[in-house]
Each structure stands twice: as C-alpha cells, then as structure tokens.
Amino acid sequence: MDKKFITSDIGIAAFLQLKGVKLLLCTRLDSGKFHFEFNDEAGSCQSLSLEFLNSEYCQFDNNVRNLKKLLFS
C-alpha cells in the first residue's frame, strides 16, 4: 500500500521537494486551495514538515507572502 502525505501548504510542499520527497500530484481545487500529494513510504514527511516550520525557510516563505500582500493591496 502506498503511503501518501497530503498538504495544501506550498511552503511545506517546496521544502519536501527540496529534501528529495517525490511529488505525486499537484493541483488546485475548485475552492482555490492547493493540493499536493507526496510519496511518504519512508514516513518522513511529518517530521520534515516540522523541520520546515522551525527553520529559516519558513521565515523566508512568510516574508515572501507578506511582500506579495503589500504589492497586491
């Protein structure tokens, strides 16, 4: 059985790709939310997500989002 990790957070998805986790599906739902599915056979996606949230990568991602809000408001 294939283990999958699903997230709608583009920052976490980018970090998982950076760490070499295989992206299985990337789409935008009718609601506008993102949908990313990763192969999680190794069971590492949850801990990698926490690593992202405690990293400078997350701070960078938040800064990019804030700058976009400033530009589009």
Side-chain angles (χ1 to χ4, degrees):
M1 180 178 193
D2 292 339
K3 291 174 93 177
K4 294 180 185 176
F5 179 82
I6 298 171
T7 184
S8 61
D9 189 293
I10 196 167
I12 290 174
F15 188 76
L16 291 175
Q17 280 194 299
L18 180 73
K19 294 295 187 172
V21 182
K22 184 178 178 185
L23 179 65
L24 301 173
L25 178 67
C26 172
T27 190
R28 195 166 184 183
L29 303 176
D30 290 338
S31 65
K33 286 184 80 171
F34 299 130
H35 180 90
F36 303 97
E37 289 185 18
F38 289 88
N39 180 341
D40 194 22
E41 286 299 318
S44 61
C45 288
Q46 186 68 34
S47 62
L48 286 171
S49 296
L50 292 174
E51 181 181 333
F52 169 75
L53 292 172
N54 291 307
S55 72
E56 288 182 336
Y57 296 109
C58 186
Q59 290 175 330
F60 175 83
D61 185 53
N62 287 333
N63 288 340
V64 169
R65 290 177 198 220
N66 289 335
L67 289 169
K68 282 184 178 179
K69 286 178 187 175
L70 287 173
L71 289 171
F72 294 105
S73 62

